[in-house]
Amino acid sequence: GTLAKLWGRAIWPAVEGTSMEELAAPAYFEYLLNSYTGGLYKTLTEPIDAVAGAKSRVDKGLHTYPLVGRLVLSPYSDRRISDLHEARGTLRRRVGSGVATLEEVGKLRYMDRAADRLSENAREQQTILGDESTPRAERMAKSDEIRSAGLDLVQRTLDRSDEENRKAGIRATVYRLTDPNAEQSKIDAAVKLLADVDPRELRTALKEECLSRGQIVIRVTSSGKLTSYGTRVKLLNQRLVQKED
């Protein structure tokens, strides 16, 4: 109806490019609800939180209620997670519009990884909490351990330095630059973004990125054929000429 259309128009800028799996995550949906109700959602649910408490809510099985468990009483809610999703949405829009800096590209990369981990953690927690064959105390302890690990990861992601994010941004961008199937528009955008980076740093970044992906960083095989890494190095050298021109 009309309300659904208005809701869709309101949240679209924040969720564009977000997977359905991420949208289904309780913490992300809570962030959206609170953001687009001007804080009313949090105002209404905080009294319930105060009375029930995160652990007691799970103990009573309220997390199994389709609406209450998913939208109002999520045991995996934390301000840091909301901060992560909010910043991630902003960075996605900047990267998508081609105005992001290398630091922002790298920061988004770390945030995407953290969000993926949170989704995996949420699924694991749901499985653990729903396993009634395991004693409740044991289930709660395991769930709390997973939750703490997730929050630690979020905090580390939010606290990363500009230099760390910059290096991650260079690695991600130089890998896109050397994609043999990259469209010219993508190549041009990468060249522009890397304009102020020393070519030697770019070559080092490419090697580090390939290593992190489990690739062998040998340029030529024993038969003299270019490897996947060797092809990327060749493309980097070719496109660096375009960069220097």
Side-chain angles (χ1 to χ4, degrees):
T2 302
L3 183 59
K5 291 179 180 178
L6 290 173
W7 169 249
R9 290 172 185 169
I11 69 169
W12 177 249
V15 303
E16 185 177 8
T18 304
S19 68
M20 290 304 296
E21 185 176 80
E22 291 177 283
L23 289 175
Y28 191 58
F29 209 84
E30 284 185 348
Y31 152 67
L32 291 175
L33 284 171
N34 194 55
S35 296
Y36 291 97
T37 58
L40 178 61
Y41 168 78
K42 185 174 181 181
T43 300
L44 292 175
T45 57
E46 276 188 336
I48 301 176
D49 289 346
V51 172
K55 289 189 177 181
S56 62
R57 292 198 302 267
V58 177
D59 292 347
K60 293 178 182 179
L62 292 181
H63 64 285
T64 61
Y65 286 52
L67 178 60
V68 177
R70 276 288 181 179
L71 303 183
V72 180
L73 300 176
S74 168
Y76 201 63
S77 177
D78 187 279
R79 178 61 196 172
R80 286 168 289 182
I81 296 177
S82 296
D83 289 343
L84 176 78
H85 286 304
E86 185 174 1
R88 187 172 171 233
T90 299
L91 289 175
R92 278 189 167 186
R93 290 191 291 275
R94 287 184 59 79
V95 170
S97 61
V99 298
T101 63
L102 285 171
E103 288 81 1
E104 289 173 326
V105 171
K107 191 171 185 178
L108 177 60
R109 191 183 208 194
Y110 281 125
M111 287 185 170
D112 282 342
R113 291 177 178 175
D116 288 343
R117 171 55 62 182
L118 289 180
S119 294
E120 293 174 8
N121 286 359
R123 288 194 298 272
E124 187 176 355
Q125 280 186 284
Q126 189 173 32
T127 299
I128 290 172
L129 294 173
D131 181 12
E132 297 183 359
S133 65
T134 303
R136 179 180 60 81
E138 185 177 335
R139 281 182 281 156
M140 290 305 306
K142 289 182 179 179
S143 178
D144 286 347
E145 183 179 346
I146 294 171
R147 181 177 187 276
S148 295
L151 293 178
D152 287 344
L153 173 60
V154 170
Q155 191 64 60
R156 291 197 303 274
T157 300
L158 295 173
D159 290 344
R160 285 189 179 277
S161 67
D162 287 344
E163 183 59 22
E164 287 179 294
N165 290 327
R166 176 183 174 275
K167 288 182 178 179
I170 292 174
R171 290 196 301 269
T173 305
V174 77
Y175 199 77
R176 287 199 302 272
L177 173 64
T178 57
D179 180 357
N181 300 314
E183 298 176 0
Q184 190 59 47
S185 60
K186 300 293 184 181
I187 295 173
D188 292 342
V191 168
K192 180 179 179 181
L193 195 56
L194 297 170
D196 296 327
V197 182
D198 188 283
R200 290 170 296 182
E201 186 175 3
L202 293 179
R203 295 186 180 96
T204 299
L206 176 60
K207 184 175 183 179
E208 291 175 348
E209 181 63 20
C210 289
L211 283 171
S212 72
R213 292 170 178 263
Q215 299 175 13
I216 299 175
V217 289
I218 297 175
R219 300 188 187 187
V220 184
T221 65
S222 57
S223 61
K225 182 179 179 181
L226 277 178
T227 63
S228 174
Y229 172 68
T231 299
R232 285 185 176 273
V233 172
K234 179 180 178 180
L235 288 172
L236 176 60
N237 291 332
Q238 290 175 347
R239 291 165 183 174
L240 278 178
V241 173
Q242 176 182 345
K243 169 182 177 292
E244 292 165 356
D245 288 344

